[in-house]
Every structure is written in structure tokens, then in C-alpha cells.
Amino acid sequence: MSEVESAKQPNYPISSVGNALRLLLMFNNHPRLRLSDAATALGVSTSTAHRLLAMLQSFDFVRQEEEVRTYVLGPVFLDLGLSAVRNMDVRAIARPILSELAVRLDQTVHLAVLEGLNVRYVLGAEGQSQLRVADRTGELLPAHTSAMGRALLADMSNERLDKILAQLVEQRVDAKQLQTELDQIREIGYALNFRHDDVTSMAMTVHDPDGATIAAINAAGPSSRMSKQDRKLIARQLHAAAAEIEEALRTAPNK
């Protein structure tokens, strides 16, 4: 272990996690990695190195080239890299659009992105009404419990959604009920969430120029100002704002 690595060690290191991370860092200098080289570099047996690589492979962090029996970085890194770039772009582009939307609706509006099984509020703007919902920028919530999270889940491919539902089942989430709700969201084009604190949220997704879902936007306010008639107007305004963000992403420089 280098002096830099040693200096960065936490007070309570977990050796298996550390070895897995060290394995991933090896790909900075070695685009392809053999099992024997991984074992030697880590100072572990080949069976231990194989188990580490198998675990990383199961989450798509690495993949094995069958013909030459070497390991290379998996597709998850491309997804993470693209996601980071998209999220930075969409937040900067969405800021003025959401600020205008908050004034137009006199409601609090947000932009959120998925983080695993959760949804992260990354941008918010408040309306001017005295009775309004507070900006939740920075908060992290289980995706299935929020309108924006469910809108994002509803836009997923069946394969990816099945994996997430399987994980949620382990957390005792009613996957059948959630699937029904997601089907309804796909049908009507937006998600609704009625909170216990008398707040209603309406959300829909935003797509990048390739059609991939990258974020969701919402409008949230006291339920007294989110009647069925109000929601018709809000749905139109959210749809227009999402389309404006998507158009700005398409025409942004360096795309």
C-alpha cells in the first residue's frame, strides 16, 4: 500500500471493501486485468481475488472477456459518468426555467435525480405565497415514497425496474401495489403524491437529447391549492417546463 493510500485509511477499515476498491483503482493504469495479477497486487489468494471480481461483476462494475479470461471495467462506469455530466447540465439549464415556473404557479418546484433506490432533490425554487412548501434541495428520500421518485421509476425499462422491485421487496415494500401505481403514472403521464402533512406533489420526467430519462420536476403545495382543477393547470405547466428544459439541452453548446 502506498503512503497516500495509507494516509487515507479510515479509522475502522473493512478489508474486503478496501480490496474491492483497490481492484477498481487498478484499472486506472491497466485497462485489462488478469486474475493472477489482481491476486498478486492485493496480496491475496486467487480464490479471494476471484470472489471479489465476481461480486464486482454481479453489479456490472467489471465484466470478463471470455476469450482471453481478463477483466475490464463494466458498463456501470459509463452510466455513472454520463449521469454525472447530464445531471450537471440539467441543473444549470433548469434553474431559470424552474424559477419562472415557481412564480407562474406560485408553488414550490424542484428538480430531482435518482441515486440508487432513492431520489435526490438537487434544485428548488419557491413561490411567493405565504402558505407554501419549503424548498427541499439536498434531501434524499426513498424513490417509491415521492411523486418525483415514482415518476422516475415509471420511466425505467422493465428489466431495470424488476431489479429495483426485487430490492424493495427485501425492504418489505408492496411491489405489486407499487407496480400498479407505476402503470397508472405511465398512462396519465405524471405522478401524484398526497403527503400526511396536507401537501400534494405532482411530478413528471425530463429526458436528454437521446431520449434517456435524467431527472424529474415537480410542483408541490398545500392540498387546499392543489384541487383537481388546479392540477390540470399544473400538469400543463409542468409539461411545458419539461419540454423547455429538454429543448435547452438539445440546443446547448458542446452537445
Side-chain angles (χ1 to χ4, degrees):
M1 183 183 298
S2 68
E3 291 183 6
V4 173
E5 286 179 316
S6 178
K8 292 181 178 179
Q9 284 291 301
N11 292 330
Y12 305 99
I14 302 173
S15 60
S16 58
V17 175
N19 282 336
L21 294 174
R22 288 174 63 198
L23 260 179
L24 292 175
L25 289 174
M26 288 179 201
F27 288 98
N28 280 331
N29 299 316
H30 306 284
R32 288 174 171 78
L33 198 62
R34 293 183 301 178
L35 176 62
S36 58
D37 293 334
T40 300
L42 293 176
V44 299
S45 66
T46 54
S47 61
T48 297
H50 183 267
R51 286 196 297 273
L52 289 168
L53 286 164
M55 178 59 71
L56 292 173
Q57 187 174 5
S58 70
F59 285 92
D60 290 333
F61 282 98
V62 302
R63 64 180 177 84
Q64 189 175 29
E65 297 180 309
E66 294 295 337
E67 294 183 1
V68 291
R69 308 296 291 178
T70 56
Y71 292 86
V72 296
L73 288 177
V76 72
F77 282 100
L78 177 61
D79 292 341
L80 288 172
L82 290 175
S83 177
V85 172
R86 289 166 179 160
N87 290 344
M88 287 188 291
D89 289 343
V90 73
R91 188 166 66 170
I93 285 173
R95 190 183 304 277
I97 297 171
L98 290 189
S99 295
E100 183 180 341
L101 180 64
V103 172
R104 210 160 50 232
L105 293 176
D106 200 16
Q107 304 276 20
T108 300
V109 299
H110 296 98
L111 177 83
V113 296
L114 274 180
E115 288 188 10
L117 299 179
N118 302 308
V119 64
R120 172 80 69 180
Y121 289 69
V122 296
L123 182 66
E126 295 183 3
Q128 299 302 310
S129 173
Q130 289 185 342
L131 186 63
R132 65 181 184 270
V133 174
D135 182 354
R136 305 182 76 173
T137 299
E139 288 191 27
L140 186 70
L141 297 174
H144 68 281
T145 66
S146 72
M148 285 199 287
R150 290 199 293 273
L152 289 164
L153 292 175
D155 257 15
M156 285 183 177
S157 66
N158 290 334
E159 181 181 1
R160 186 180 176 195
L161 181 58
D162 286 344
K163 291 181 180 179
I164 286 183
L165 290 177
Q167 291 176 274
L168 290 176
V169 167
E170 295 177 358
Q171 299 178 12
R172 299 186 178 181
V173 173
D174 187 337
K176 186 175 181 179
Q177 179 182 341
L178 178 57
Q179 182 69 71
T180 298
E181 293 174 0
L182 299 181
D183 290 340
Q184 292 172 345
I185 292 168
R186 295 187 189 103
E187 183 177 347
I188 64 176
Y190 57 82
L192 281 170
N193 191 49
F194 302 97
R195 286 167 34 185
H196 296 300
D197 55 354
D198 202 34
V199 168
T200 298
S201 173
M202 174 182 286
M204 58 184 60
T205 53
V206 176
H207 305 89
D208 72 5
D210 297 321
T213 303
I214 55 171
I217 58 174
N218 85 333
S223 298
S224 60
R225 294 198 287 118
M226 297 281 281
S227 66
K228 285 186 178 180
Q229 191 61 38
D230 293 329
R231 294 200 297 265
K232 290 180 181 179
L233 169 65
I234 292 169
R236 289 195 295 270
Q237 295 287 354
L238 280 173
H239 187 273
E244 190 175 352
I245 294 170
E246 291 169 354
E247 178 61 23
L249 286 169
R250 277 192 294 272
T251 58
N254 300 321
K255 291 293 177 186

